[in-house]
Amino acid sequence: MNLLENVKWASVSQLFKVIVQIANLVILTRFIKPDDYGLMAISMVFINFGLLLKDQGLSKAIIQKLNLKIEVVNAVFWFGIYASLFVYLIIYFSAGLIADFYESEELTLILRTIALIFPIGALGSVHVALLERESKFKLVAFVELSCSIVSFIVAIVLAYLGYGVYALVFQAISYSVLNTLLMILSKSFSISISSCLRLGPIKEVLSFSVNLFLFNVINFFSRNLDNILIGKFLGVISLGTYNLAYRIMQFPLQSITFVFSRALLPVVSKAQNDNENIERMYLNCVFSIAFLVFPLMIFLTSFGVETVIVFIGEEWKVTGEILEWLAICSCFQCINSLSGSIFMAKDKTKFLLRLGTAGAFIHITGFIVGINFDIVSFSKIYVVTTVINSVLVLYFTTLIINSSIFRVFSKVKGVLAYSLVSLLIVTNLSTFLDGNAFFQNDIVNILSKSFIYACLYLTMIVLLSSDAKLAINNLINRNSNN
């Protein structure tokens, strides 16, 4: 299966995940309070770190390695089981200390309950890696779609019944249970019980996985220290509003860009010594991501508050103010999300570790400065550190494939220009729309602005962008050949 096929089926999965996430925001925020979201955000900091400890980059090593032995697969499987049980026990016994740190007794039960996803998920993690290695994204998409729908229904029912934050907790657990079960049924491999104590074969992928693991740990702290500091020094309500804005900003990364980086890794790994081919695929992915993400995020830089108030509620207004700044971050982060796949495919995880260390220093410095101000000012400082780090990462990413940062800019400059021009026109039209009786309804007003914006942007892209014309022609030719 080629890159386009990988992207197509990974996109199907992520599209439905986005729909579920949006429905989560619109529906669950009606039943779950900001402080409950704050408690969940605190919990997820420790849960996400646990996910790093249980995997340690080994699943990516399975995808990247050209010649993979069954002994290595078995060793990774059993290591994941042991690591997951170890992580679960750490969180279980430290939950009380974490709750004391944040002065919230409820955190103890939340952490001990949601940590069940570690031993559950470990049973199917290798199965997922093997499916992705074989580029069976169609099957993976079906499994993830099914899990998203079922877990969403669980969350709605529990939220409606008044379970608050536990609706979110059991949404995560139900997703993990069903996903593990379906992945095991979808991909079988010879699990050797006698090999449960033979972890020696892991040495074959150790140099790759250790550097990737250390990078992920450093990157985790630089990405999550904001939640830790905000929760401690600015309060759980500030954390709840910030975390919701951050989640909205992350939608493109979790949906659109994750699709491309996920689909890119197995394909580029097979062509890891062909820089010309890698550059072509990389730049095409950069354009596709920018085409989809830039207009959405640039629109939110001006209409974030209005959008949040209309679709989530007046009490989340501060979330909209934060979102208008974080949307800028998304434009930079979405491009850099491909960097990890490039470094991994080229077996440059040691270099990736160095970049992660530099990025962590930049972000942590900004966080320490930011907690001395209010939550909106904190977000502005986060934008500055993101821009600095993104330029650094982009420079070295293009360097290792014999490309340049200027080629990347030439790919996205048209998309950026068309998005800004469309925003300028809609902003000037806002006075007319806001004063017209037909547009007094808030939902009609914001939908009209977004529709006009989208039409302007797409018209300019189709008429003026050579990359868009080429992509459309390739798609038409592909469909006619099929």
Side-chain angles (χ1 to χ4, degrees), residues 5-33:
E5 285 294 306
N6 287 359
V7 169
K8 180 176 74 175
W9 289 110
S11 298
V12 171
S13 172
Q14 288 303 120
L15 174 62
F16 280 91
K17 282 184 180 179
V18 169
I19 293 173
V20 170
Q21 288 171 345
I22 292 174
N24 257 317
L25 289 177
V26 174
I27 296 175
L28 295 183
T29 49
R30 307 292 178 180
F31 302 99
I32 300 174
K33 299 177 294 183

Side-chain angles (χ1 to χ4, degrees), residues 39-69:
L39 290 173
M40 189 63 178
I42 292 171
S43 301
M44 291 309 298
V45 170
F46 299 95
I47 295 302
N48 288 333
F49 181 63
L51 292 173
L52 292 181
L53 293 179
K54 84 174 186 64
D55 181 74
Q56 302 188 23
L58 292 170
S59 61
K60 296 298 182 184
I62 288 177
I63 300 173
Q64 189 271 343
K65 195 168 181 61
L66 286 175
N67 299 308
L68 185 65
K69 300 177 182 177

Side-chain angles (χ1 to χ4, degrees), residues 279-454:
E279 183 196 30
R280 178 185 57 80
M281 290 188 286
Y282 171 72
L283 292 178
N284 285 339
C285 287
V286 165
F287 172 78
S288 299
I289 290 172
F291 168 76
L292 295 168
V293 175
F294 278 25
L296 173 61
M297 290 296 109
I298 288 174
F299 179 82
L300 289 176
T301 60
S302 291
F303 297 102
V305 173
E306 192 173 339
T307 301
V308 167
I309 290 175
V310 168
F311 291 103
I312 301 180
E314 180 72 34
E315 67 272 20
W316 295 93
K317 180 181 177 181
V318 177
T319 293
E321 295 176 10
I322 297 169
L323 179 60
E324 290 188 344
W325 286 98
L326 294 187
I328 301 172
C329 295
S330 188
C331 292
F332 285 89
Q333 290 182 0
C334 71
I335 300 299
N336 279 336
S337 66
L338 297 172
S339 299
S341 295
I342 298 297
F343 281 105
M344 284 187 283
K346 297 286 289 183
D347 199 11
K348 299 288 186 181
T349 52
K350 185 175 182 180
F351 199 81
L352 185 64
L353 173 60
R354 294 173 182 171
L355 271 180
T357 305
F361 175 79
I362 294 169
H363 280 297
I364 291 172
T365 301
F367 294 155
I368 293 173
V369 174
I371 58 170
N372 295 290
F373 303 95
D374 60 83
I375 192 63
V376 177
S377 298
F378 182 98
S379 304
K380 295 176 183 179
I381 295 172
Y382 182 73
V383 173
V384 175
T385 57
T386 297
V387 172
I388 295 172
N389 183 56
S390 296
V391 172
L392 180 67
V393 172
L394 188 59
Y395 171 77
F396 285 104
T397 301
T398 55
L399 185 65
I400 67 167
I401 59 173
N402 297 331
S403 185
S404 73
I405 198 170
F406 299 104
R407 293 185 185 178
V408 175
F409 177 73
S410 67
K411 277 286 182 180
V412 303
K413 64 181 181 182
V415 172
L416 179 62
Y418 307 144
S419 299
L420 291 173
V421 170
S422 300
L423 180 65
L424 181 62
I425 294 173
V426 172
T427 302
N428 288 325
L429 282 175
S430 293
T431 304
F432 167 76
L433 295 177
D434 295 341
N436 190 293
F438 177 76
F439 298 103
Q440 290 304 302
N441 181 279
D442 291 337
I443 295 179
V444 172
N445 190 295
I446 192 64
L447 289 178
S448 298
K449 290 175 183 176
S450 59
F451 177 75
I452 294 170
Y453 175 83

Side-chain angles (χ1 to χ4, degrees), residues 185-322:
L185 294 174
S186 300
K187 177 62 183 180
S188 61
F189 67 94
S190 180
I191 301 176
S192 174
I193 303 296
S194 61
S195 299
C196 64
L197 298 177
R198 294 175 55 196
L199 303 180
I202 285 181
K203 293 178 181 179
E204 293 191 24
V205 293
L206 203 58
S207 62
F208 175 94
S209 62
V210 166
N211 287 319
L212 180 59
F213 168 67
L214 292 175
F215 164 77
N216 286 333
V217 170
I218 292 171
N219 190 55
F220 169 84
F221 278 110
S222 69
R223 297 295 184 187
N224 289 275
L225 186 62
D226 52 349
N227 284 334
I228 296 173
L229 294 176
I230 292 170
K232 178 62 178 177
F233 296 103
L234 299 182
V236 292
I237 294 179
S238 291
L239 177 58
T241 56
Y242 173 84
N243 184 257
L244 185 58
Y246 193 89
R247 286 175 58 198
I248 297 172
M249 181 270 285
Q250 286 281 303
F251 274 163
L253 292 177
Q254 294 175 344
S255 52
I256 299 169
T257 60
F258 176 72
V259 165
F260 285 92
S261 59
R262 186 182 190 182
L264 191 64
L265 178 57
V267 177
V268 174
S269 294
K270 290 181 173 61
Q272 56 190 265
N273 297 318
D274 185 358
N275 280 339
E276 184 177 349
N277 192 24
I278 293 175
E279 183 196 30
R280 178 185 57 80
M281 290 188 286
Y282 171 72
L283 292 178
N284 285 339
C285 287
V286 165
F287 172 78
S288 299
I289 290 172
F291 168 76
L292 295 168
V293 175
F294 278 25
L296 173 61
M297 290 296 109
I298 288 174
F299 179 82
L300 289 176
T301 60
S302 291
F303 297 102
V305 173
E306 192 173 339
T307 301
V308 167
I309 290 175
V310 168
F311 291 103
I312 301 180
E314 180 72 34
E315 67 272 20
W316 295 93
K317 180 181 177 181
V318 177
T319 293
E321 295 176 10
I322 297 169

